[in-house]
Amino acid sequence: MGSRLRVFLTPEQDKTLFHLRTADVPQKVKDRAEVIRLSAHGWYVEKIAAHFHWTAQTVREVLHRWEHLGLEGLWEKPGRGGKSRWAEADMVFLEKCLEQEPRTYNSVQLAQKLEQERSVKLSPEWLRQVLKKGIIWKRTRKSHKGKQDPVVQQIKQADLEMLELSAAVGEIDLKYMDESGFCAWSEPSYSYYFRGEQKRLEQSQRRGRRLSIIGFLQPLISFVYGLVIGGVSRKSYIQMMETEAVEAQKTGRIRVIVQDNGPIHRCKEVIQLWSKWEDMGLYIFFLPKYCSEMNPIELEWQHLKKDELAAKTFEDELDLAYAVIDGVQTRGEKGNYSTQRVRFNSSSSA
């Protein structure tokens, strides 16, 4: 068996690649820079590929280009890339879909529709360039960067990278935990549409109650989750953590749960269980405040909502729950990990 493919960076190189994330460069360059940094931080090729939804061969090519060309290898060579085949009628077709269909589309979904219905294959990146002629992408973004403590974040990031390295070599089991929620009405979203006009989505007559999800993601291995009407309670959280502690005790391996500082994660009843869980082999790693981007499960929530449930409305909570379950299953197939739904005890909803 050949040696593991990994790159090594000097502090200056790592800093340069880190700053590319916010630089005015193509998204492909930013992605390739992040691939190099993740490899240097101990991530396996397969884990990086799953994170970006690339093939392992694509990741290897990026790493090899870095080894041979350095920073220059992050950019495309002049004249490279396939010549797309499309006609004006294909763009008219997409414009009619955007105007007439009661849903939103992102560039990936538009590219899939174009290939499925007109046998025209364009990459989402190239399609975005074509659509700029008369259609724009509108979006909003929430941010808490101003509330972050950079010193604490740097320390925690270094600690987390050590945990990820230990997990990569099989010393521990590392899982990322978080909660999220869904509504029967589609949330305000964004879509390609005509300049000066706004896409409107008709909602169902009844908004219904919120459906919440709590999940434990072990990249490339498993995603364990539970659904509950309303918010996730401390009892539901404790039930999930107790299950993780029992499994850690059975395997005899240390299991670390990465999570934020939510109220139910630090309530009195939970704090009293920490020593018990640690005796069973289950430990908790708290992320710094306002640093949700450090938790990879946030990307799963994002893809689940914007890819699998994008622009859909549901008649009731049951209809929504089935859609979430199907969406999680699809995400598992794309990310090459198993999925398991936990059914809560009746008392756990309190």
Side-chain angles (χ1 to χ4, degrees):
M1 181 179 293
S3 60
R4 173 188 168 194
L5 179 57
R6 180 181 178 185
V7 300
F8 296 90
L9 301 175
T10 65
E12 292 76 14
Q13 289 175 324
D14 186 71
K15 185 176 181 180
T16 299
L17 293 175
F18 178 80
H19 287 311
L20 280 177
R21 298 171 62 183
T22 56
D24 185 17
V25 298
Q27 184 61 45
K28 283 187 176 181
V29 174
K30 296 180 181 182
D31 291 343
R32 291 165 184 156
E34 188 65 12
V35 166
I36 303 302
R37 295 189 71 243
L38 291 176
S39 176
H41 291 167
W43 283 38
Y44 283 91
V45 167
E46 292 76 14
K47 182 178 179 181
I48 298 174
H51 180 69
F52 283 94
H53 303 290
W54 294 358
T55 64
Q57 181 59 32
T58 300
V59 175
R60 294 189 185 97
E61 290 175 358
V62 171
L63 298 179
H64 285 309
R65 282 174 61 86
W66 171 263
E67 291 178 340
H68 290 94
L69 301 174
L71 198 62
E72 180 185 348
L74 301 181
W75 274 262
E76 296 282 1
K77 291 183 179 180
R80 291 293 299 273
K83 302 301 183 292
S84 300
R85 297 178 179 178
W86 61 276
E88 191 64 30
D90 299 319
M91 296 304 108
V92 173
F93 166 77
L94 290 183
E95 291 175 358
K96 289 183 178 179
C97 293
L98 292 171
E99 184 177 9
Q100 298 173 4
E101 296 186 10
R103 57 160 296 173
T104 61
Y105 282 98
N106 59 34
S107 59
V108 174
Q109 294 162 342
L110 283 175
Q112 292 172 346
K113 188 173 187 67
L114 197 59
E115 181 177 5
Q116 292 170 359
E117 300 195 19
R118 297 186 68 87
S119 300
V120 175
K121 189 171 183 179
L122 293 178
S123 71
E125 294 80 8
W126 180 249
L127 185 58
R128 284 197 291 268
Q129 296 298 319
V130 175
L131 292 174
K132 280 184 179 179
K133 295 179 180 180
I135 300 173
I136 60 174
W137 180 250
K138 296 183 177 180
R139 62 175 298 178
T140 59
R141 177 180 294 178
K142 297 179 181 178
S143 175
H144 295 289
K145 278 207 166 190
K147 299 179 181 180
Q148 295 176 352
D149 186 326
V151 175
V152 175
Q153 182 184 15
Q154 185 176 11
I155 294 173
K156 283 285 190 176
Q157 182 66 53
D159 292 341
L160 182 57
E161 288 174 359
M162 289 301 298
L163 289 174
E164 291 175 338
L165 182 59
S166 297
V169 298
E171 294 177 351
I172 65 172
D173 291 329
L174 185 64
K175 291 192 174 186
Y176 303 88
M177 191 282 296
D178 193 31
E179 300 92 2
S180 189
F182 309 90
C183 177
W185 285 0
S186 59
E187 297 182 359
S189 184
Y190 40 88
S191 173
Y192 283 107
Y193 207 57
F194 302 97
R195 290 184 183 274
E197 300 181 35
Q198 188 175 32
K199 182 81 173 183
R200 296 180 180 273
L201 298 175
E202 293 298 327
Q203 306 295 315
S204 58
Q205 294 183 356
R206 177 175 172 270
R207 180 172 185 135
R209 292 173 293 175
R210 180 181 176 86
L211 178 71
S212 294
I213 184 172
I214 176 173
F216 291 74
L217 173 66
Q218 190 172 9
L220 290 179
I221 299 178
S222 67
F223 181 73
V224 181
Y225 70 101
L227 298 174
V228 62
I229 297 296
V232 176
S233 68
R234 69 182 187 281
K235 291 186 177 180
S236 298
Y237 167 75
I238 289 174
Q239 178 181 333
M240 296 287 283
M241 291 294 284
E242 288 281 0
T243 300
E244 294 293 329
V246 170
E247 291 182 0
Q249 189 176 45
K250 287 181 179 179
T251 61
R253 288 164 55 88
I254 291 178
R255 180 167 298 190
V256 180
I257 306 297
V258 178
Q259 61 183 36
D260 61 25
N261 295 270
I264 62 173
H265 305 162
R266 288 184 174 273
C267 67
K268 184 177 180 180
E269 186 176 352
V270 169
I271 292 175
Q272 292 174 345
L273 293 169
W274 285 353
S275 58
K276 170 192 171 184
W277 291 340
E278 290 177 359
D279 290 340
M280 299 172 71
L282 182 69
Y283 294 81
I284 299 174
F285 178 87
F286 283 104
L287 294 169
K289 295 181 179 179
Y290 307 110
C291 293
S292 59
E293 71 276 5
M294 293 174 61
N295 194 338
I297 199 174
E298 293 285 352
L299 288 176
E300 291 301 314
W301 301 147
Q302 178 181 336
H303 286 297
L304 182 59
K305 293 178 179 180
K306 295 183 179 180
D307 295 341
E308 314 308 332
L309 303 179
K312 296 180 180 179
T313 57
F314 307 93
E315 291 300 323
D316 51 37
E317 295 85 352
L318 182 61
D319 190 24
L320 173 60
Y322 282 138
V324 172
I325 292 171
D326 290 341
V328 169
Q329 181 66 32
T330 301
R331 291 298 308 157
E333 293 171 357
K334 291 180 179 179
N336 195 30
Y337 55 76
S338 65
T339 61
Q340 177 187 353
R341 181 164 67 94
V342 174
R343 290 169 173 78
F344 292 117
N345 301 327
S346 58
S347 60
S348 295
S349 60

